[in-house]
Amino acid sequence: MLCLSSLFVSGCSLFYSSREEKYDDRLVVVGFSQVGSESDWRLANTASMVGALREENGYRLLFDNAKQKQENQYLAIRNFIQQDVDYIVLAPISETGWESVLREAKTAGIPVIVVDRQVSVEDESLYQSWVGSDFYQEGRMAVSWMEETFPENTKTLRILHLQGTEGATAQIMRSRALEEAVSRHENWSIEASLKGEFTEAKGYEVVRDFLKSSTGFDVLYSENDNMTFGAMRALEEAGISFGENGDVKIISFDAVKKALELCLEGKINLCVECNPLHGPRVDRLIKAYEAGDSPQKFSYVEEICFTCDTITQDMVDSREY
Ligand code: AHR
């Protein structure tokens, strides 16, 4: 736990200067390049990875927090290659731009496991496998809820779209599901698509600025919980009511514990789950490779959603993150 919190606080990288220092031959050495610490989801994801890839479970973990910069991820991966790790685990900030560095890992004979968001590369042999969420399906669940809640005879449905980091699979797919739905429904419109970078601070800032000239909207479609928390603060400051009995209905992605609490209070209408607990999944993949098995290339995690009229205290209490 001491080690975990120091990683969070400093965002430090752990590198070893030589093979001798690195090796206790019984341990599998894994270099993990994490996106950053932009959200509660991300912190839960880091904790899950660090928890699963711990020494008592047979690992030596080299962790790097890229602080939301792809260049830092390139640096980390190149360092992992130099350290001659056994596996590289990559949580990519965005889908594109990975060819060169992944080819370097392949040339060095180091298998790469991609987690959470996907990478878009022509040659899929550049990585071994991927595990994460079906972000498009998450968006489809949100759209289905909107279709049920606002039937076809609803006069107009004005949507404020709060987008995550541009080019991240979570952004691309959740946005795609919404945009496709808007093109199917003549009475639906996107009032604005604001870039909130998956952070609470940016979510607050862009919604606050938008509200200065807004003529109103009916739904906030927010691509993660932390942006939602920021947006709720901006709405409160502007005197706009939201949630179950409010003027604006709120859809939020991730379903972290704090969001579920707000859903139970009736402040968030729909929480779409995005499961961050990938540590044990990556552990299983590595153990399978070590045993000489060939697990499937893509593994999607099953997810559900919660609405303010059906969520229970038990659901909130049993939330791990
Ligand atoms: O890629 C998963 C997304 O990234 C989560 O929705 C978000 O909270 C995180 O930062």
Side-chain angles (χ1 to χ4, degrees):
M1 195 56 201
L2 198 71
C3 167
L4 180 59
S5 57
S6 73
L7 290 175
F8 284 157
V9 171
S10 63
C12 67
S13 310
L14 297 181
F15 295 123
Y16 291 80
S17 54
S18 69
R19 280 183 74 89
E20 295 78 65
E21 262 185 81
K22 175 182 113 177
Y23 283 123
D24 169 346
D25 271 343
R26 294 160 306 170
L27 299 178
V28 176
V29 183
V30 177
F32 174 38
S33 169
Q34 175 62 291
V35 168
S37 33
E38 74 282 5
S39 63
D40 293 3
W41 187 101
R42 188 64 56 194
L43 298 182
N45 177 246
T46 298
S48 170
M49 298 291 289
V50 172
L53 305 180
R54 65 190 188 282
E55 200 157 319
E56 308 83 79
N57 198 24
Y59 295 97
R60 169 65 53 102
L61 177 63
L62 313 189
F63 176 85
D64 185 82
N65 180 333
K67 300 186 178 141
Q68 299 264 65
K69 289 202 170 31
Q70 190 160 13
E71 302 72 48
N72 290 343
Q73 296 206 284
Y74 296 155
L75 250 173
I77 291 173
R78 291 191 170 116
N79 266 307
F80 295 150
I81 294 171
Q82 271 190 349
Q83 304 292 316
D84 195 18
V85 298
D86 298 310
Y87 292 86
I88 290 173
V89 179
L90 168 64
I93 182 156
S94 63
E95 288 195 352
T96 55
W98 296 106
E99 259 89 3
S100 306
V101 76
L102 291 187
R103 193 162 299 286
E104 288 167 39
K106 189 177 175 186
T107 305
I110 302 173
V112 174
I113 297 171
V114 179
V115 281
D116 172 29
R117 304 168 186 173
Q118 300 207 3
V119 293
S120 163
V121 283
E122 250 174 51
D123 177 2
E124 285 195 345
S125 77
L126 292 182
Y127 62 98
Q128 202 82 13
S129 49
W130 168 86
V131 60
S133 300
D134 186 339
F135 299 108
Y136 182 66
Q137 177 56 21
E138 291 175 358
R140 295 277 307 135
M141 285 197 271
V143 164
S144 299
W145 179 84
M146 284 162 74
E147 286 170 339
E148 279 163 31
T149 309
F150 305 99
E152 212 47 57
N153 58 5
T154 306
K155 220 167 135 219
T156 54
L157 192 68
R158 298 161 304 167
I159 302 156
L160 179 60
H161 181 194
L162 195 43
Q163 291 183 300
T165 307
E166 225 176 337
T169 317
Q171 177 275 312
I172 296 171
M173 292 302 177
R174 291 169 185 166
S175 293
R176 181 172 301 168
L178 175 66
E179 284 155 8
E180 285 176 1
V182 169
S183 63
R184 282 197 309 272
H185 295 274
E186 272 185 13
N187 56 333
W188 292 19
S189 64
I190 296 179
E191 291 302 289
S193 291
L194 309 175
K195 297 187 191 324
E197 295 169 10
F198 284 131
T199 70
E200 189 161 339
K202 198 73 187 166
Y204 166 72
E205 189 185 305
V206 293
V207 173
R208 180 201 60 195
D209 291 349
F210 170 79
L211 292 176
K212 288 178 186 157
S213 55
S214 158
T215 52
F217 59 97
D218 309 298
V219 174
L220 171 70
Y221 182 98
S222 168
E223 291 180 0
N224 91 340
D225 286 339
N226 287 83
M227 293 192 297
T228 305
F229 305 149
M232 286 166 70
R233 182 150 70 93
L235 289 169
E236 265 161 9
E237 284 175 8
I240 297 169
S241 64
F242 52 84
E244 200 170 12
N245 303 311
D247 291 335
V248 171
K249 305 297 172 212
I250 297 187
I251 295 171
S252 188
F253 291 84
D254 286 354
V256 298
K257 197 173 191 120
K258 182 174 167 193
L260 292 187
E261 282 163 0
L262 290 164
C263 189
L264 188 65
E265 283 173 37
K267 302 237 173 80
I268 296 179
N269 298 75
L270 177 73
C271 283
V272 182
E273 183 177 52
C274 181
N275 188 315
L277 306 179
H278 297 321
R281 299 178 182 118
V282 170
D283 170 39
R284 279 196 293 277
L285 280 171
I286 293 178
K287 296 231 161 93
Y289 292 128
E290 290 292 293
D293 296 341
S294 313
Q296 59 191 37
K297 183 129 186 153
F298 295 91
S299 318
Y300 288 91
V301 176
E302 279 210 19
E303 291 164 337
I304 57 169
C305 48
F306 304 83
T307 60
C308 59
D309 41 2
T310 56
I311 192 167
T312 63
Q313 185 68 54
D314 279 353
M315 291 175 186
V316 178
D317 293 344
S318 62
R319 199 56 161 176
E320 282 177 60
Y321 49 91

